Amino acid sequence: MSEPLKERRLGLLQATAINMTDMVGIGPFITLPMVIGIMNGPYFLYAWVAGAVLSIIDALVWSELGAAFPLAGGSYNFLKEAFPSRKIGKLMSFLFVWQTLIQAPLVIASAAIGFASYFSYLTPLTTWESKMVSGGVVICIVILLFRKIEDIGKISVLLWIIVIGTILWIIAQGMAHGNFTMPLQTMNEGITMNHSFAAAIGFASVKTVYSYLGYYNVCHLGGDIINPSRNIPRSMLLSIVGIFALYLLMNVSIVSVIPWQKAMNSDYVISLFMHELGGPLAGKIITGLILLVAFASVFSATLGYSRIPYAAAVDGAFFKVFSRVHPRGNFPYVSIVFLGAVAFIFSLLFRLSDVISAILAMRILVQFIGQAVGLLLLANNKRKHFPYKMPFFPVPVYIAIGMWLCILISTGWKMALGGMSMIVLGVVVYFAKEKLQTADD
């Protein structure tokens, strides 16, 4: 089992700040019109409610495992400890790290690409100029992360203030100048509870869940969290509830000024919203703040993901080079540089619309469903000693598994097949690696 990097130095405020900055990012600003377009009606707000419900239920699984195994690497440790068979646990944890080397850079790249997309509102960019901007964001993040964890905690709180301040400004403008109660009063107009509505909720939830991802980032930093048995569950609950309230109010604020029929066709709906209320300068200012929010998200995501290959390498289950830490800052610099390099390449190759569904499809089976199943397997032995236990166990676990399967189906068969293909390839690599190690011994 991997050990904490050094001394635990991140408290509840810093842990919650890291989670919330990772959750917001560019996601809600880009996916807001997508969600409205998929739902095609004023009832699009239900998709944001569905995303929050799934996040809270799944966070109960993360809370039990995170409080019980508060170590760097998060799901890597959960999967290794949860399965009663040591061989299966090793395979599942390896598959998680294997997928992380691809999906983590995709997450980082998606925020960087979104940054470049919104940046083009301020000044038109050619295709290659846009790629240079997104790649430059990744490089800046890697440089910024080359420092001690306590300094990063302070930076995260500052970025969190910017994130919350930006969303509160949007909400305040809608409340002051829009018909703020109208979207809530009309959200049930035209709604029909049938198969089509359920399918629309499923497809739209792929986008909203993407915007909530990151509520568990504190678990990847478990080795740095003070009093983890209390602060890990609390930070996740506070993050989800707080972000849900902000997302809901922001959506209501936007469509109280811009009709949903117009909002769903806008690439820069937030900028358009503020432009309409305050003129061109206000539109540019809000765009600048959104860029800071996107930057903060890349920062937080890269910080959390960098601990996963590190934890696996410390355990001897991954390439040893990833276990190296900086001699002065005591952070896993090889892991940071590797993930940043891959994210840089992805930011040059892909579009934002290509990666949102792929991110979820790659993670659901091994990470979200895998560790939920692992928690069920722990029910009769180790779980009785856990410092945190969810209410009504195991009902929330079964609900989480069912909801994740629905999200996987909603990503589309091509994405789901791609995710499963990565798992199969990972299994082949794992057994090849085990065979080579046995031969060396």
mmCIF file of all heavy atoms in Angstrom, residues 61-71 78 219 222 228-229 232-233 236:
data_model
loop_
_atom_site.group_PDB
_atom_site.id
_atom_site.type_symbol
_atom_site.label_atom_id
_atom_site.label_comp_id
_atom_site.label_asym_id
_atom_site.label_seq_id
_atom_site.Cartn_x
_atom_site.Cartn_y
_atom_site.Cartn_z
ATOM 1 N N VAL A 61 -20.171 6.105 -2.313
ATOM 2 C CA VAL A 61 -19.194 5.036 -2.527
ATOM 3 C C VAL A 61 -17.784 5.571 -2.329
ATOM 4 O O VAL A 61 -16.961 4.967 -1.626
ATOM 5 C CB VAL A 61 -19.351 4.444 -3.954
ATOM 6 C CG1 VAL A 61 -18.274 3.383 -4.214
ATOM 7 C CG2 VAL A 61 -20.748 3.857 -4.140
ATOM 8 N N TRP A 62 -17.502 6.710 -2.957
ATOM 9 C CA TRP A 62 -16.181 7.327 -2.820
ATOM 10 C C TRP A 62 -15.883 7.678 -1.358
ATOM 11 O O TRP A 62 -14.734 7.560 -0.904
ATOM 12 C CB TRP A 62 -16.109 8.596 -3.668
ATOM 13 C CG TRP A 62 -15.968 8.374 -5.130
ATOM 14 C CD1 TRP A 62 -16.968 8.216 -6.037
ATOM 15 C CD2 TRP A 62 -14.749 8.294 -5.874
ATOM 16 N NE1 TRP A 62 -16.457 8.053 -7.301
ATOM 17 C CE2 TRP A 62 -15.098 8.092 -7.229
ATOM 18 C CE3 TRP A 62 -13.405 8.379 -5.537
ATOM 19 C CZ2 TRP A 62 -14.144 7.980 -8.229
ATOM 20 C CZ3 TRP A 62 -12.457 8.269 -6.532
ATOM 21 C CH2 TRP A 62 -12.824 8.066 -7.862
ATOM 22 N N SER A 63 -16.899 8.136 -0.630
ATOM 23 C CA SER A 63 -16.686 8.547 0.758
ATOM 24 C C SER A 63 -16.264 7.377 1.630
ATOM 25 O O SER A 63 -15.344 7.501 2.453
ATOM 26 C CB SER A 63 -17.971 9.182 1.312
ATOM 27 O OG SER A 63 -18.258 10.404 0.667
ATOM 28 N N GLU A 64 -16.942 6.237 1.489
ATOM 29 C CA GLU A 64 -16.566 5.063 2.282
ATOM 30 C C GLU A 64 -15.140 4.633 1.974
ATOM 31 O O GLU A 64 -14.332 4.389 2.880
ATOM 32 C CB GLU A 64 -17.535 3.910 2.004
ATOM 33 C CG GLU A 64 -18.890 4.071 2.666
ATOM 34 C CD GLU A 64 -19.488 2.743 3.096
ATOM 35 O OE1 GLU A 64 -18.757 1.731 3.097
ATOM 36 O OE2 GLU A 64 -20.675 2.721 3.448
ATOM 37 N N LEU A 65 -14.841 4.520 0.686
ATOM 38 C CA LEU A 65 -13.514 4.045 0.291
ATOM 39 C C LEU A 65 -12.437 5.084 0.578
ATOM 40 O O LEU A 65 -11.332 4.749 1.004
ATOM 41 C CB LEU A 65 -13.531 3.681 -1.196
ATOM 42 C CG LEU A 65 -14.435 2.491 -1.569
ATOM 43 C CD1 LEU A 65 -14.556 2.352 -3.078
ATOM 44 C CD2 LEU A 65 -13.896 1.201 -0.953
ATOM 45 N N GLY A 66 -12.743 6.363 0.332
ATOM 46 C CA GLY A 66 -11.767 7.424 0.566
ATOM 47 C C GLY A 66 -11.417 7.587 2.023
ATOM 48 O O GLY A 66 -10.254 7.816 2.382
ATOM 49 N N ALA A 67 -12.410 7.480 2.903
ATOM 50 C CA ALA A 67 -12.157 7.591 4.339
ATOM 51 C C ALA A 67 -11.402 6.375 4.866
ATOM 52 O O ALA A 67 -10.603 6.478 5.798
ATOM 53 C CB ALA A 67 -13.476 7.760 5.083
ATOM 54 N N ALA A 68 -11.668 5.205 4.267
ATOM 55 C CA ALA A 68 -11.011 3.973 4.719
ATOM 56 C C ALA A 68 -9.590 3.845 4.205
ATOM 57 O O ALA A 68 -8.718 3.289 4.883
ATOM 58 C CB ALA A 68 -11.835 2.759 4.278
ATOM 59 N N PHE A 69 -9.333 4.347 2.989
ATOM 60 C CA PHE A 69 -8.011 4.235 2.366
ATOM 61 C C PHE A 69 -7.543 5.616 1.898
ATOM 62 O O PHE A 69 -7.478 5.898 0.699
ATOM 63 C CB PHE A 69 -8.063 3.265 1.186
ATOM 64 C CG PHE A 69 -8.679 1.935 1.515
ATOM 65 C CD1 PHE A 69 -9.930 1.589 1.020
ATOM 66 C CD2 PHE A 69 -8.024 1.026 2.331
ATOM 67 C CE1 PHE A 69 -10.510 0.365 1.324
ATOM 68 C CE2 PHE A 69 -8.590 -0.200 2.644
ATOM 69 C CZ PHE A 69 -9.837 -0.531 2.149
ATOM 70 N N PRO A 70 -7.214 6.513 2.852
ATOM 71 C CA PRO A 70 -6.852 7.894 2.499
ATOM 72 C C PRO A 70 -5.399 8.007 2.044
ATOM 73 O O PRO A 70 -4.524 8.486 2.770
ATOM 74 C CB PRO A 70 -7.083 8.647 3.810
ATOM 75 C CG PRO A 70 -6.780 7.638 4.871
ATOM 76 C CD PRO A 70 -7.224 6.313 4.321
ATOM 77 N N LEU A 71 -5.145 7.559 0.830
ATOM 78 C CA LEU A 71 -3.789 7.529 0.300
ATOM 79 C C LEU A 71 -3.750 8.168 -1.074
ATOM 80 O O LEU A 71 -4.776 8.280 -1.753
ATOM 81 C CB LEU A 71 -3.289 6.086 0.203
ATOM 82 C CG LEU A 71 -3.303 5.278 1.510
ATOM 83 C CD1 LEU A 71 -3.126 3.806 1.224
ATOM 84 C CD2 LEU A 71 -2.216 5.792 2.446
ATOM 85 N N PHE A 78 -8.369 1.871 -3.954
ATOM 86 C CA PHE A 78 -9.684 1.296 -3.690
ATOM 87 C C PHE A 78 -9.840 -0.049 -4.398
ATOM 88 O O PHE A 78 -10.296 -1.024 -3.800
ATOM 89 C CB PHE A 78 -10.796 2.239 -4.166
ATOM 90 C CG PHE A 78 -10.739 3.620 -3.572
ATOM 91 C CD1 PHE A 78 -11.432 4.667 -4.166
ATOM 92 C CD2 PHE A 78 -10.011 3.891 -2.425
ATOM 93 C CE1 PHE A 78 -11.394 5.936 -3.635
ATOM 94 C CE2 PHE A 78 -9.966 5.162 -1.886
ATOM 95 C CZ PHE A 78 -10.655 6.192 -2.496
ATOM 96 N N CYS A 219 -10.075 12.426 -3.232
ATOM 97 C CA CYS A 219 -9.631 11.049 -2.951
ATOM 98 C C CYS A 219 -8.280 10.751 -3.593
ATOM 99 O O CYS A 219 -7.502 9.954 -3.065
ATOM 100 C CB CYS A 219 -10.678 10.052 -3.452
ATOM 101 S SG CYS A 219 -12.243 10.099 -2.548
ATOM 102 N N GLY A 222 -5.647 11.811 -1.233
ATOM 103 C CA GLY A 222 -5.929 11.331 0.115
ATOM 104 C C GLY A 222 -4.751 11.403 1.063
ATOM 105 O O GLY A 222 -4.925 11.649 2.257
ATOM 106 N N PRO A 228 -8.678 12.757 7.236
ATOM 107 C CA PRO A 228 -9.374 12.305 6.028
ATOM 108 C C PRO A 228 -10.706 11.614 6.273
ATOM 109 O O PRO A 228 -11.605 11.694 5.433
ATOM 110 C CB PRO A 228 -8.366 11.349 5.383
ATOM 111 C CG PRO A 228 -7.485 10.899 6.499
ATOM 112 C CD PRO A 228 -7.383 12.069 7.423
ATOM 113 N N SER A 229 -10.867 10.919 7.416
ATOM 114 C CA SER A 229 -12.122 10.200 7.660
ATOM 115 C C SER A 229 -13.312 11.140 7.758
ATOM 116 O O SER A 229 -14.454 10.746 7.506
ATOM 117 C CB SER A 229 -12.014 9.366 8.934
ATOM 118 O OG SER A 229 -11.826 10.191 10.063
ATOM 119 N N ILE A 232 -12.734 14.058 3.857
ATOM 120 C CA ILE A 232 -12.974 13.534 2.512
ATOM 121 C C ILE A 232 -14.474 13.437 2.217
ATOM 122 O O ILE A 232 -14.943 13.979 1.207
ATOM 123 C CB ILE A 232 -12.250 12.192 2.302
ATOM 124 C CG1 ILE A 232 -10.737 12.442 2.156
ATOM 125 C CG2 ILE A 232 -12.789 11.463 1.082
ATOM 126 C CD1 ILE A 232 -9.902 11.189 1.978
ATOM 127 N N PRO A 233 -15.288 12.782 3.066
ATOM 128 C CA PRO A 233 -16.729 12.769 2.789
ATOM 129 C C PRO A 233 -17.356 14.158 2.797
ATOM 130 O O PRO A 233 -18.192 14.482 1.947
ATOM 131 C CB PRO A 233 -17.299 11.900 3.922
ATOM 132 C CG PRO A 233 -16.155 11.054 4.380
ATOM 133 C CD PRO A 233 -14.952 11.929 4.221
ATOM 134 N N MET A 236 -16.622 16.266 -0.391
ATOM 135 C CA MET A 236 -17.370 15.825 -1.573
ATOM 136 C C MET A 236 -18.826 16.278 -1.511
ATOM 137 O O MET A 236 -19.375 16.775 -2.500
ATOM 138 C CB MET A 236 -17.273 14.305 -1.727
ATOM 139 C CG MET A 236 -15.967 13.851 -2.341
ATOM 140 S SD MET A 236 -15.969 12.117 -2.823
ATOM 141 C CE MET A 236 -15.692 11.363 -1.224
#
